[in-house]
Amino acid sequence: MTAAAMRLPPGFRKQSLEERRRQVAETYKLDDRDFAASRSPEMEDLADMMIESAIGVMPIPLGVATGFTIDGSVYDIPLATEEPSVVAAAGYAARIIGESGFETWSTEPVMQAQIFLENAGSAAEKRISAAENELKDSLDSHLAPLERRGGGFRGLATTRLPGLGLLQVDLYIDVRDAMGANILNTAAEALQGDLERLSGGHTLMSILSNQAGLRRAGALFRLPVERLARAARGIAPEEIARRIVLASDLAQESSERAVTHNKGIMNGISALALATGNDTRAVEAGAHAWSARSGQVRGLSRYRLQAQTLEGWLELPLALATVGGAVKIHPVSRATLGILGQPDSGQLSRIGAAVGLAQNFAAVLALVSGGIQKGHMKLHAARLAFQAGARGDEVRAVADRMAALKSYRLEDAAAALSRLRSI
Ligand code: NAD
């Protein structure tokens, strides 16, 4: 029977997590050893509360990239990722950049929701603008907790969409340390009735925009070119610096290259977002939209040479929360925020910008100085060794042997493992 012909029984979602797990294992004839890894006694009540039809958890490696100097303080940065090179690359960049570290900045955490109205009359824009204070007051009960923390209502704007004729009403709220989706969606829905009355139209939908273009974070580093010597693989450091700048310009001109350049940045940022319980899709949607704001996808980071100093720079929308959603409800998120010294949202977003820039720097440096495959194949060899049955210290020994032989097939891993075990 094919998987498509198998069916979970009706009422599956109403069963207990344990029963759902049993039904899935039975229906799909799962290998007990594989499925066992989705068990987590500490996490199952939480998983069952967080999503519908939970059957367990998906464990992803959590690592720490150590020794980041950011605005004069040293951070160890927790990263959750399935990609082998991410933590290693971030730590490598942090070591090269060293104590001069990263300078970072962030804007106020203002998020935007949109109410789209159909058949709004021609005077709608003026009437909504004239009623802004009244509309703001109508949100008082929703926004009072934010206002007590220094956030709250930051304005309204209207735009008539030329193609469809819909009236777009943008609502701006400073959400402080939250990501803000529920706060914005609740407030936007609360305005619908008044906006319909003022415009004579009716609401098609109200929803947060993940563009988050007003809530940005950035980072830069300045690196004396001679510090590239340790990474230069026989190439003059000045030449490496020149190539990094050229690679940065390339990601401005070639959108195909820019997509991958930016994916590398998000390797770090999404791993931090996941490690801290943030909404990775929201962060990525905002970043990629920002990279295409000129009408073409361009690299989010830039590099330039100033005398004998290489400067790296990155800025992007970054709505990393330290409260709300899964953040702090998830025990791992509480632990990772602890590793970071309980940052607020602005600090966490600035750390995110630094780790994104570090990740990008490590990738571009490797690409222009001999390629990334050498490092990646070493990590790939460890996976093959594990697949071949190596465990503990054997994994590294088998991977080292494969690297020495420059041969990276599963058969090579199996041969290296049996050789090791026969010694
Ligand atoms: P939330 O609903 O948990 O609200 C945050 C809460 O934290 C508020 O009640 C607020 O009063 C409180 N709070 C305590 N201390 C605070 C502080 N210092 N700063 C700000 N608020 C503080 O969370 P949210 O951020 O409104 O929504 C995030 C969730 O919504 C995420 O799980 C996200 O995945 C989900 N979501 C996303 C989208 C989208 O991205 N389009 C849409 C819907 C829902």
Side-chain angles (χ1 to χ4, degrees), residues 270-284:
S270 296
L272 176 66
L274 187 59
T276 51
N278 270 282
D279 182 332
T280 53
R281 290 81 56 215
V283 167
E284 292 188 0

Side-chain angles (χ1 to χ4, degrees), residues 145-146 149 175-183 185 207-208 210 279 281-282 323-326:
L146 277 181
R149 298 183 173 98
V175 296
R176 296 285 91 196
D177 297 313
M179 179 248 189
N182 287 325
I183 298 169
N185 291 343
I207 181 74
L208 166 94
N210 287 112
D279 182 332
R281 290 81 56 215
V323 297

Side-chain angles (χ1 to χ4, degrees), residues 4 48 97 181 207 240 244 252 274 288-289 308 311 314 351 381 418:
D48 208 14
I97 291 163
I207 181 74
I240 293 287
I244 289 173
Q252 297 301 307
L274 187 59
H288 294 302
Q308 279 299 296
E311 290 183 7
L314 167 69
I351 292 168
S418 64

